[in-house]
């Protein structure tokens, strides 16, 4: 059962150290270079997403390519290694989250 909000699945390589939540709602710290594990509760393959509160600031390096949404709801496709931009509307620094849609 694939859920659009989940960006990673069991055995994908973790590209950014941080807190991730599986479909069962269990949050676990995972480290860059490791593989996403099976569900800690059921021990079957599952999907993972960044835990709530995970964000990036304008000027920080983009850790993995993908779609990101700023706090105003603007969505941009960003490439790994680029810098998170300022808000497209205001030009001011902002925060960005992974956009799982």
């Amino acid at each position: 059962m694939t859920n659009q909000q989940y960006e990673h699945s069991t055995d994908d390589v973790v590209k950014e150290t941080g807190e991730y939540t599986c479909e069962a709602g269990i949050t676990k710290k995972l480290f860059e270079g490791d593989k996403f594990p099976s569900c800690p509760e059921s021990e079957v393959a599952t999907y993972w997403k960044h835990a709530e509160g995970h964000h990036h600031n304008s000027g920080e390096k983009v850790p993995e390519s993908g779609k990101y949404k700023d706090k105003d709801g603007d969505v941009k496709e960003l490439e790994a290694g680029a810098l998170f931009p300022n808000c497209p509307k205001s030009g001011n620094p902002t925060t960005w989250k992974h956009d799982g849609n």
Side-chain angles (χ1 to χ4, degrees):
M1 169 173 92
T2 303
N3 189 324
Q4 293 282 328
Q5 68 178 333
Y6 291 88
E7 302 129 348
H8 311 284
S9 60
T10 298
D11 291 331
D12 285 351
V13 175
V14 177
K15 294 183 180 174
E16 177 185 5
T17 297
E19 299 282 326
Y20 293 86
T21 305
C22 74
E23 288 181 297
I26 298 168
T27 299
K28 184 173 181 169
K29 184 167 186 171
L30 302 174
F31 296 90
E32 181 180 351
D34 289 345
K35 289 190 175 187
F36 284 92
S38 295
C39 176
E41 183 176 78
S42 67
E43 298 183 8
V44 297
T46 190
Y47 295 96
W48 294 85
K49 65 180 179 178
H50 287 274
E52 287 300 315
H54 179 85
H55 70 274
H56 304 278
N57 297 310
S58 294
E60 291 179 353
K61 192 175 183 180
V62 176
E64 59 183 296
S65 297
K67 289 184 181 180
Y68 292 85
K69 184 186 300 187
D70 75 358
K71 64 182 180 181
D72 294 333
D74 298 308
V75 177
K76 290 189 71 94
E77 185 81 29
L78 300 173
E79 294 293 321
L83 298 180
F84 283 98
N86 287 341
C87 176
K89 291 179 185 165
S90 71
N92 294 324
T94 190
T95 57
W96 295 87
K97 289 185 169 193
H98 294 264
D99 183 38
N101 295 327

